[in-house]
Amino acid sequence: MMWLWAVPGGALIAVVVVDVWLTILHPDAEGPLAGAVRRSVWRLSSFAANRRRRPERTLLVWAGPVLVTGTFLAWIVPLVFGVALVVWPHLDGYHRVAGYGPAGFDDALYFSAGTLTVLGYGDLTPDTSAQKLLAVCVAALGFALFAALATYLIELITGLTVRNRFALAVHDQVRGSDGVGLIVRSLTAEGVDAARQRCADWAADLRAIDDTVRRYPLVALTYRPRRPDYDLEPALEHVVEATVAALLTARCATWRGLGPRAEELAYALLRAQDTIARRYLNDTVLDVDDDADQMLRRLQSRLAAELGDRYDQKTSRDGLVGVVLARSVPFLAGLRGWSAPLVTLRDVDRSSAGTGQCD
């Protein structure tokens, strides 16, 4: 009856293979094992960070490396055990060096790990053709797995580079102000063409981030930098501010030409928010209407004060402006729920309305 152990062993191998295939090779899917590890590690680290008497980001900074390590172990360990369970019932038929002693499950684990890593020390080798074929298949499976892990890690680092460059660019362009101040400065000091180009550049960057996060969810939020200028969350908050400000000013006759680029930026922002929210913010609940209306009134008061008579629009949350506000308010609130040290757009509006400054 020992051969029955091969059934759960084969099931473990199949689960790992499918999970790796979905996570690494399928652009629109994530394996259940990888998804469970990602959710568990991030929730635990964010909960622990926010429960500290003085919230710090140290735990969040290490969440990404721990998550990747945990994901890789969630694939390697079950695979080693699965192969060991398949080999164990037939281990007495394997050739062993003199003085090896009775074969046990620890020897099956030893053979499994050595074959999967394509090491194979030669002190425990298959004798029959079927056993040799199994060893070759296991070695090929191990080689493919570690090659896939290396490729995944390279793509992950590349995606993090794209994300960090976007955050740095937004930080440098905002220059200690916020998204509204950036749009006002672009329109008054640089001209509408500069504002149009900035919206187009940000839209392209958001599309790149969205595609990367869709394929590699770890890029979104789980790698938390220590330096705020590398952080994606403040950058997204500034982009929300700038998007709403661009849509509002594009309604004015003076800056009507900004409209197409502002809409392009809005759609790219909404798509990126949706991708991140689907991965991380499924439980976000917020009174959207009240907060969005208050934010709109503050943003319009700010624009009217800084642009003067050229800004001639009344308070109205219709069209694309309403969609961006309704989606961005709970999104940003969900981000704050993970990172207590961060200041969100709502807090900026309430504490510094009319000042043009963001802490």
Side-chain angles (χ1 to χ4, degrees):
M1 297 297 289
M2 284 287 293
W3 63 271
L4 290 176
W5 285 107
V7 176
L12 278 176
I13 295 172
V15 167
V16 172
V17 170
V18 171
D19 204 84
V20 172
W21 180 80
L22 287 174
T23 304
I24 295 181
L25 299 181
H26 198 292
D28 295 314
E30 183 180 28
L33 283 177
V37 172
R38 175 178 57 79
R39 289 188 295 270
S40 299
V41 171
W42 181 248
R43 287 173 180 173
L44 180 62
S45 59
S46 59
F47 174 79
N50 291 336
R51 293 288 292 179
R52 296 170 65 95
R53 181 173 300 178
R54 297 181 59 187
E56 297 178 2
R57 308 194 65 184
T58 304
L59 293 175
L60 298 180
V61 169
W62 288 105
V66 171
L67 200 155
V68 172
T69 303
T71 301
F72 288 177
L73 290 177
W75 290 332
I76 296 173
V77 173
L79 190 60
V80 170
F81 271 89
V83 173
L85 288 173
V86 172
V87 171
W88 186 28
H90 313 285
L91 205 57
D92 289 337
Y94 279 55
H95 176 74
R96 291 170 289 171
V97 296
Y100 198 93
F105 186 67
D106 55 338
D107 297 303
L109 286 174
Y110 168 75
F111 176 82
S112 173
T115 307
L116 281 170
T117 53
V118 201
L119 294 175
Y121 295 103
D123 51 352
L124 185 62
T125 56
D127 284 335
T128 67
S129 298
Q131 293 169 347
K132 293 177 181 178
L133 179 62
L134 176 63
V136 171
C137 292
V138 170
L141 181 62
F143 178 81
L145 173 65
F146 286 103
L149 296 185
T151 302
Y152 187 77
L153 195 58
I154 293 172
E155 292 290 340
L156 187 62
I157 294 174
T158 302
L160 289 172
T161 302
V162 173
R163 190 199 71 176
N164 290 340
R165 286 178 178 174
F166 171 72
L168 284 172
V170 173
H171 180 271
D172 291 343
Q173 292 170 15
V174 170
R175 303 174 193 170
S177 179
D178 57 12
V180 179
L182 176 61
I183 292 298
V184 170
R185 185 171 66 246
S186 297
L187 293 174
T188 57
E190 299 172 328
V192 69
D193 288 338
R196 283 167 49 85
Q197 186 60 48
R198 179 161 288 120
C199 289
D201 292 342
W202 280 7
D205 292 338
L206 285 172
R207 284 191 289 267
I209 292 175
D210 172 73
D211 181 65
T212 304
V213 171
R214 184 174 59 87
R215 291 183 293 121
Y216 306 101
L218 304 185
V219 173
L221 299 172
T222 48
Y223 275 86
R224 310 310 298 260
R226 294 180 182 273
R227 290 176 50 180
D229 49 348
Y230 279 89
D231 200 333
L232 182 64
E233 290 182 21
L236 288 175
E237 294 180 4
H238 293 319
V239 172
V240 170
E241 297 167 341
T243 301
V244 176
L247 290 171
L248 291 173
T249 53
R251 294 177 176 179
C252 303
T254 307
W255 303 292
R256 194 81 67 184
L258 181 59
R261 294 302 187 186
E263 293 177 0
E264 179 185 355
L265 175 59
Y267 287 120
L269 173 65
L270 291 173
R271 186 186 301 108
Q273 288 180 346
D274 182 68
T275 301
I276 296 173
R278 287 178 182 273
R279 299 291 190 182
Y280 295 95
L281 306 179
N282 294 330
D283 298 327
T284 299
V285 178
L286 190 69
D287 187 356
V288 175
D289 289 335
D290 291 343
D291 287 348
D293 286 336
Q294 292 176 14
M295 184 185 302
L296 176 61
R297 287 193 291 269
R298 292 188 180 94
L299 288 176
Q300 288 198 317
S301 298
R302 173 92 173 275
L303 291 171
E306 298 193 21
L307 294 175
D309 295 338
R310 288 176 292 179
Y311 184 77
D312 54 4
Q313 296 299 304
K314 297 180 180 179
T315 301
S316 175
R317 188 161 67 91
D318 58 350
L320 193 53
V321 171
V323 175
V324 172
L325 286 172
R327 298 271 292 276
S328 298
V329 168
F331 176 79
L332 294 176
L335 296 187
R336 188 187 183 188
W338 280 356
S339 304
L342 289 180
V343 179
T344 65
L345 176 61
R346 292 186 302 149
D347 297 315
V348 172
D349 277 332
R350 290 171 181 171
S351 62
S352 59
T355 63
Q357 298 298 319
C358 176
D359 293 334

